[in-house]
Amino acid sequence: MSYLSTPGSPIYDQLVQEQGDVLAEARKLAEEALQQADPAQYWQGALPHRRTPERVPQG
């Protein structure tokens, strides 16, 4: 017999009732993070050239 609780066990069900479904929320947030990161990993463009401000001689 395993001492680890698995989803669907009475202990897990009680914790979900008390604390909310933390595992489902973590899965949802991980999926959102992957969706946001996916386009970034394929980005191949260069950063737009930023013009350096010209220095004004002080004197």
Side-chain angles (χ1 to χ4, degrees):
M1 178 175 181
S2 173
Y3 291 101
L4 298 175
S5 295
T6 58
S9 72
I11 294 172
Y12 181 83
D13 293 340
Q14 181 181 353
L15 287 172
V16 168
Q17 288 177 356
E18 294 173 4
Q19 305 293 323
D21 195 344
V22 176
L23 295 178
E25 183 67 19
R27 285 185 198 104
K28 177 184 167 200
L29 292 173
E31 181 62 32
E32 290 174 6
L34 286 173
Q35 288 175 359
Q36 291 175 4
D38 190 48
Q41 69 181 341
Y42 297 109
W43 183 72
Q44 296 179 9
L47 291 174
H49 179 69
R50 289 181 58 188
R51 185 175 170 195
T52 308
E54 295 180 22
R55 294 185 179 218
V56 178
Q58 295 182 10

